[in-house]
Amino acid sequence: MALSETGLIERYFRGCGAQRADVALGIGDDAALLRVAPGHELVAATDTLVAGVHFPHGCPAHSIGHRALAVNLSDVAAMGAQPLWALLALTLPEVDETWLEGFAAGLGGLARQHGVALVGGDTTRGPLTVTVQVLGQVAAGTALRRSGARPGDTLFVSGTPGDAAAGLALEQSRLQAPPEAAAYLRARFLLPTPRLALGERLREYASACIDVSDGLLGDAGKLAQASGVAAQVEYEALPVSASLQAAVGDERARQLALSGGDDYELCFAVSPERVPQLESALPRAVWGYTRIGTLSVGSGTTVTRAGTVMEFSHSGYQHFS
Ligand code: ADP
Ligand code: MG
């Protein structure tokens, strides 16, 4: 017997995320009632994943659930904020209970890991599309923005960008790699890690921050543009994982680090006086970030290699170009 919409919500989504005391009213009424802590601003972000556009058809349900939340948590991380609540608008071609179980496990697992409650949503029939909205809070006036960087600031990135783009290529059989490297890279695409703890700590040190979803070079360029500065990224400084190098070689690895998508790392700027404070409070070896360049007076983004400017055409993945 086909599950009704109400039955589906009850079975898979009520209690799917964390339980929170600041949820006055969650799933079951016309809207949720939520309590923001005094002295805080409400933070809101939403992102949609469309089958065949943002993930391959046939992608594991668990991964789709995880990624739909992770991409939103990454936006909240880039603001230095704490995620608290999520809403889920789910468009399904059919009610497939095995799929729903995997999807709810992927989304719910990540939600519980970060203390995020699922407080509502919408369920409709149509081509597979997942929209998640994450709501959170940040102490008033302390959120990180893209626009705060100044000439002279140092540019950093967390993690090893490019891995997820290779992982997607492996998923789609456009790339082959040694088994261990392939498993690591696929996981970087299928189960990205939103950098929430880093984002929250960066409020103390960073002048600007953006999450890297469409390629590091393009996203660093957005930060620079919002801040009214130019960005220089050093090719040799780009952090590339051993797995990515094993899969595609060093040259291609660096190109993917610049232009690949779906990394969900943080790119941030820090003023020169604060760099030593950052590095002693958040040791690089523990927090996994790397200095990749500098910001200066002017506009535009350049990549330098051995001191000379590289020609580089990819400025980020464009969905509609
Ligand atoms: P309405 O028609 O008033 O919008 P629904 O019947 O669609 O209400 O939803 C009933 C309740 O279930 C609401 O609280 C809604 O937020 C929640 N809900 C619906 N779909 C989902 C979903 N996919 N995930 C989480 N909550 C959902
Ligand atoms: Mg209603």
Tab-separated table of all heavy atoms in Angstrom, residues 12-19 61-70 73 86 88 100-118 132:
chain	number	residue	atom	x	y	z
A	12	TYR	N	9.406	9.090	8.216
A	12	TYR	CA	10.800	9.386	7.852
A	12	TYR	C	11.321	10.714	8.383
A	12	TYR	O	12.524	10.865	8.536
A	12	TYR	CB	10.970	9.315	6.330
A	12	TYR	CG	10.700	7.940	5.813
A	12	TYR	CD1	9.520	7.649	5.142
A	12	TYR	CD2	11.609	6.911	6.052
A	12	TYR	CE1	9.262	6.366	4.700
A	12	TYR	CE2	11.353	5.625	5.628
A	12	TYR	CZ	10.171	5.356	4.953
A	12	TYR	OH	9.902	4.080	4.541
A	13	PHE	N	10.452	11.683	8.624
A	13	PHE	CA	10.989	13.014	8.913
A	13	PHE	C	10.703	13.548	10.318
A	13	PHE	O	11.429	14.386	10.806
A	13	PHE	CB	10.549	14.003	7.829
A	13	PHE	CG	11.084	13.586	6.481
A	13	PHE	CD1	10.231	13.350	5.415
A	13	PHE	CD2	12.453	13.399	6.307
A	13	PHE	CE1	10.735	12.942	4.185
A	13	PHE	CE2	12.968	12.987	5.090
A	13	PHE	CZ	12.111	12.756	4.020
A	14	ARG	N	9.664	13.064	10.986
A	14	ARG	CA	9.487	13.506	12.368
A	14	ARG	C	10.583	12.829	13.206
A	14	ARG	O	10.767	11.628	13.149
A	14	ARG	CB	8.108	13.127	12.907
A	14	ARG	CG	7.879	13.672	14.307
A	14	ARG	CD	6.603	13.140	14.895
A	14	ARG	NE	5.405	13.672	14.250
A	14	ARG	CZ	4.892	14.877	14.472
A	14	ARG	NH1	5.473	15.686	15.319
A	14	ARG	NH2	3.797	15.264	13.854
A	15	GLY	N	11.352	13.618	13.903
A	15	GLY	CA	12.418	13.027	14.719
A	15	GLY	C	13.640	12.628	13.920
A	15	GLY	O	14.520	11.937	14.419
A	16	CYS	N	13.711	13.072	12.660
A	16	CYS	CA	14.844	12.743	11.798
A	16	CYS	C	16.111	13.484	12.234
A	16	CYS	O	17.203	12.952	12.208
A	16	CYS	CB	14.453	13.077	10.358
A	16	CYS	SG	15.771	13.188	9.161
A	17	GLY	N	15.983	14.728	12.667
A	17	GLY	CA	17.142	15.513	13.105
A	17	GLY	C	17.284	15.496	14.622
A	17	GLY	O	16.805	14.584	15.288
A	18	ALA	N	17.956	16.516	15.154
A	18	ALA	CA	18.155	16.622	16.601
A	18	ALA	C	16.874	17.129	17.270
A	18	ALA	O	16.013	17.721	16.627
A	18	ALA	CB	19.300	17.600	16.880
A	19	GLN	N	16.745	16.877	18.573
A	19	GLN	CA	15.668	17.477	19.374
A	19	GLN	C	16.240	18.743	19.991
A	19	GLN	O	17.349	18.715	20.514
A	19	GLN	CB	15.233	16.521	20.503
A	19	GLN	CG	14.795	15.145	20.019
A	19	GLN	CD	13.572	15.206	19.116
A	19	GLN	OE1	12.576	15.829	19.460
A	19	GLN	NE2	13.656	14.559	17.954
A	61	ALA	N	20.907	7.455	-2.193
A	61	ALA	CA	19.951	8.298	-1.463
A	61	ALA	C	20.581	8.903	-0.207
A	61	ALA	O	20.321	10.054	0.148
A	61	ALA	CB	18.722	7.478	-1.092
A	62	HIS	N	21.404	8.118	0.462
A	62	HIS	CA	22.079	8.571	1.676
A	62	HIS	C	22.917	9.822	1.385
A	62	HIS	O	22.920	10.792	2.146
A	62	HIS	CB	22.948	7.419	2.195
A	62	HIS	CG	23.675	7.727	3.463
A	62	HIS	ND1	24.934	8.282	3.471
A	62	HIS	CD2	23.329	7.557	4.762
A	62	HIS	CE1	25.325	8.430	4.729
A	62	HIS	NE2	24.370	8.008	5.533
A	63	SER	N	23.622	9.779	0.255
A	63	SER	CA	24.464	10.917	-0.147
A	63	SER	C	23.605	12.136	-0.478
A	63	SER	O	23.948	13.271	-0.107
A	63	SER	CB	25.319	10.525	-1.354
A	63	SER	OG	25.821	11.686	-1.993
A	64	ILE	N	22.493	11.934	-1.151
A	64	ILE	CA	21.630	13.069	-1.523
A	64	ILE	C	21.105	13.756	-0.262
A	64	ILE	O	21.108	14.995	-0.156
A	64	ILE	CB	20.476	12.600	-2.437
A	64	ILE	CG1	21.049	12.025	-3.745
A	64	ILE	CG2	19.518	13.758	-2.745
A	64	ILE	CD1	20.021	11.287	-4.606
A	65	GLY	N	20.689	12.959	0.730
A	65	GLY	CA	20.214	13.534	1.989
A	65	GLY	C	21.316	14.297	2.702
A	65	GLY	O	21.107	15.417	3.186
A	66	HIS	N	22.493	13.689	2.758
A	66	HIS	CA	23.641	14.329	3.425
A	66	HIS	C	24.011	15.622	2.709
A	66	HIS	O	24.164	16.675	3.344
A	66	HIS	CB	24.821	13.348	3.419
A	66	HIS	CG	26.080	13.900	4.020
A	66	HIS	ND1	26.524	13.550	5.269
A	66	HIS	CD2	26.986	14.793	3.535
A	66	HIS	CE1	27.646	14.205	5.541
A	66	HIS	NE2	27.963	14.962	4.496
A	67	ARG	N	24.126	15.575	1.395
A	67	ARG	CA	24.600	16.739	0.646
A	67	ARG	C	23.590	17.883	0.696
A	67	ARG	O	23.964	19.049	0.752
A	67	ARG	CB	24.904	16.358	-0.809
A	67	ARG	CG	26.135	15.472	-0.929
A	67	ARG	CD	26.515	15.217	-2.386
A	67	ARG	NE	27.132	16.367	-2.996
A	67	ARG	CZ	26.655	17.040	-4.026
A	67	ARG	NH1	25.540	16.660	-4.604
A	67	ARG	NH2	27.290	18.074	-4.500
A	68	ALA	N	22.302	17.537	0.644
A	68	ALA	CA	21.274	18.589	0.641
A	68	ALA	C	21.377	19.438	1.901
A	68	ALA	O	21.197	20.660	1.865
A	68	ALA	CB	19.888	17.964	0.532
A	69	LEU	N	21.701	18.796	3.023
A	69	LEU	CA	21.892	19.560	4.261
A	69	LEU	C	23.283	20.179	4.299
A	69	LEU	O	23.444	21.346	4.675
A	69	LEU	CB	21.664	18.654	5.479
A	69	LEU	CG	21.808	19.353	6.835
A	69	LEU	CD1	20.787	20.479	6.992
A	69	LEU	CD2	21.639	18.338	7.983
A	70	ALA	N	24.298	19.419	3.882
A	70	ALA	CA	25.695	19.879	3.994
A	70	ALA	C	25.928	21.179	3.223
A	70	ALA	O	26.629	22.068	3.710
A	70	ALA	CB	26.652	18.801	3.495
A	73	LEU	N	24.596	23.905	5.365
A	73	LEU	CA	25.407	24.098	6.574
A	73	LEU	C	26.702	24.809	6.214
A	73	LEU	O	27.231	25.613	6.989
A	73	LEU	CB	25.703	22.741	7.235
A	73	LEU	CG	24.502	22.017	7.834
A	73	LEU	CD1	24.938	20.686	8.444
A	73	LEU	CD2	23.802	22.876	8.883
A	86	ALA	N	16.238	23.206	10.381
A	86	ALA	CA	16.206	23.015	8.932
A	86	ALA	C	14.784	22.748	8.473
A	86	ALA	O	13.962	22.185	9.212
A	86	ALA	CB	17.111	21.843	8.532
A	88	LEU	N	12.724	21.183	4.911
A	88	LEU	CA	13.015	20.309	3.776
A	88	LEU	C	11.856	20.320	2.782
A	88	LEU	O	10.762	19.877	3.098
A	88	LEU	CB	13.227	18.873	4.291
A	88	LEU	CG	13.226	17.758	3.261
A	88	LEU	CD1	14.437	17.883	2.338
A	88	LEU	CD2	13.226	16.399	3.962
A	100	LEU	N	13.715	6.517	0.555
A	100	LEU	CA	13.400	7.464	1.632
A	100	LEU	C	14.175	7.158	2.910
A	100	LEU	O	14.641	8.065	3.595
A	100	LEU	CB	11.904	7.460	1.923
A	100	LEU	CG	11.081	8.336	0.986
A	100	LEU	CD1	9.597	7.954	1.059
A	100	LEU	CD2	11.252	9.818	1.341
A	101	GLU	N	14.320	5.853	3.197
A	101	GLU	CA	15.058	5.452	4.387
A	101	GLU	C	16.514	5.912	4.288
A	101	GLU	O	17.061	6.473	5.234
A	101	GLU	CB	15.011	3.931	4.490
A	101	GLU	CG	14.959	3.398	5.881
A	101	GLU	CD	14.515	1.940	5.842
A	101	GLU	OE1	13.295	1.687	5.696
A	101	GLU	OE2	15.405	1.079	5.916
A	102	GLY	N	17.132	5.688	3.151
A	102	GLY	CA	18.527	6.108	2.945
A	102	GLY	C	18.660	7.623	3.000
A	102	GLY	O	19.569	8.165	3.640
A	103	PHE	N	17.731	8.307	2.340
A	103	PHE	CA	17.760	9.771	2.308
A	103	PHE	C	17.634	10.354	3.721
A	103	PHE	O	18.415	11.221	4.129
A	103	PHE	CB	16.621	10.274	1.410
A	103	PHE	CG	16.507	11.766	1.376
A	103	PHE	CD1	17.261	12.511	0.477
A	103	PHE	CD2	15.650	12.427	2.237
A	103	PHE	CE1	17.165	13.899	0.452
A	103	PHE	CE2	15.545	13.806	2.223
A	103	PHE	CZ	16.302	14.545	1.325
A	104	ALA	N	16.654	9.850	4.476
A	104	ALA	CA	16.429	10.366	5.836
A	104	ALA	C	17.610	10.042	6.734
A	104	ALA	O	17.975	10.850	7.606
A	104	ALA	CB	15.138	9.784	6.415
A	105	ALA	N	18.254	8.892	6.532
A	105	ALA	CA	19.433	8.532	7.341
A	105	ALA	C	20.587	9.485	7.036
A	105	ALA	O	21.301	9.926	7.943
A	105	ALA	CB	19.842	7.089	7.080
A	106	GLY	N	20.770	9.821	5.767
A	106	GLY	CA	21.863	10.722	5.381
A	106	GLY	C	21.640	12.129	5.921
A	106	GLY	O	22.539	12.745	6.499
A	107	LEU	N	20.433	12.623	5.744
A	107	LEU	CA	20.116	13.979	6.213
A	107	LEU	C	20.080	14.017	7.747
A	107	LEU	O	20.662	14.891	8.381
A	107	LEU	CB	18.784	14.435	5.617
A	107	LEU	CG	18.419	15.904	5.831
A	107	LEU	CD1	17.720	16.469	4.603
A	107	LEU	CD2	17.519	16.086	7.038
A	108	GLY	N	19.419	13.036	8.333
A	108	GLY	CA	19.249	13.009	9.790
A	108	GLY	C	20.570	12.815	10.514
A	108	GLY	O	20.801	13.427	11.562
A	109	GLY	N	21.435	11.980	9.971
A	109	GLY	CA	22.734	11.730	10.606
A	109	GLY	C	23.546	13.007	10.713
A	109	GLY	O	24.092	13.331	11.774
A	110	LEU	N	23.614	13.751	9.613
A	110	LEU	CA	24.386	15.002	9.615
A	110	LEU	C	23.701	16.052	10.501
A	110	LEU	O	24.363	16.811	11.203
A	110	LEU	CB	24.552	15.521	8.186
A	110	LEU	CG	25.457	16.743	8.032
A	110	LEU	CD1	26.900	16.422	8.440
A	110	LEU	CD2	25.411	17.273	6.597
A	111	ALA	N	22.370	16.070	10.481
A	111	ALA	CA	21.625	17.026	11.311
A	111	ALA	C	21.899	16.769	12.793
A	111	ALA	O	22.181	17.703	13.559
A	111	ALA	CB	20.127	16.926	11.020
A	112	ARG	N	21.839	15.524	13.196
A	112	ARG	CA	22.068	15.200	14.616
A	112	ARG	C	23.509	15.503	15.014
A	112	ARG	O	23.765	16.004	16.105
A	112	ARG	CB	21.702	13.737	14.899
A	112	ARG	CG	20.188	13.492	14.861
A	112	ARG	CD	19.815	12.105	15.379
A	112	ARG	NE	20.401	11.035	14.595
A	112	ARG	CZ	19.862	10.540	13.468
A	112	ARG	NH1	18.718	11.025	13.002
A	112	ARG	NH2	20.464	9.572	12.812
A	113	GLN	N	24.439	15.241	14.106
A	113	GLN	CA	25.855	15.525	14.367
A	113	GLN	C	26.073	17.004	14.719
A	113	GLN	O	26.932	17.336	15.516
A	113	GLN	CB	26.641	15.151	13.115
A	113	GLN	CG	28.143	15.154	13.262
A	113	GLN	CD	28.813	14.842	11.911
A	113	GLN	OE1	28.282	14.102	11.079
A	113	GLN	NE2	29.967	15.430	11.696
A	114	HIS	N	25.275	17.873	14.108
A	114	HIS	CA	25.454	19.310	14.342
A	114	HIS	C	24.335	19.918	15.184
A	114	HIS	O	24.204	21.138	15.262
A	114	HIS	CB	25.576	20.048	12.999
A	114	HIS	CG	26.849	19.685	12.276
A	114	HIS	ND1	28.087	20.109	12.690
A	114	HIS	CD2	27.069	18.897	11.201
A	114	HIS	CE1	29.023	19.612	11.891
A	114	HIS	NE2	28.433	18.872	10.977
A	115	GLY	N	23.496	19.076	15.790
A	115	GLY	CA	22.443	19.570	16.670
A	115	GLY	C	21.359	20.344	15.950
A	115	GLY	O	20.762	21.255	16.523
A	116	VAL	N	21.095	19.989	14.679
A	116	VAL	CA	20.095	20.705	13.880
A	116	VAL	C	18.767	19.935	13.910
A	116	VAL	O	18.738	18.735	13.620
A	116	VAL	CB	20.580	20.866	12.421
A	116	VAL	CG1	19.486	21.422	11.525
A	116	VAL	CG2	21.823	21.757	12.369
A	117	ALA	N	17.677	20.617	14.266
A	117	ALA	CA	16.349	20.004	14.281
A	117	ALA	C	15.656	20.205	12.930
A	117	ALA	O	15.730	21.300	12.361
A	117	ALA	CB	15.510	20.619	15.396
A	118	LEU	N	14.982	19.176	12.428
A	118	LEU	CA	14.158	19.319	11.212
A	118	LEU	C	12.776	19.756	11.671
A	118	LEU	O	12.086	19.006	12.366
A	118	LEU	CB	14.107	17.996	10.452
A	118	LEU	CG	13.351	18.025	9.125
A	118	LEU	CD1	14.017	18.973	8.127
A	118	LEU	CD2	13.278	16.614	8.524
A	132	VAL	N	16.678	22.430	0.774
A	132	VAL	CA	16.770	22.534	2.230
A	132	VAL	C	16.993	24.001	2.583
A	132	VAL	O	17.691	24.720	1.871
A	132	VAL	CB	17.912	21.656	2.788
A	132	VAL	CG1	18.186	21.963	4.259
A	132	VAL	CG2	17.561	20.173	2.627
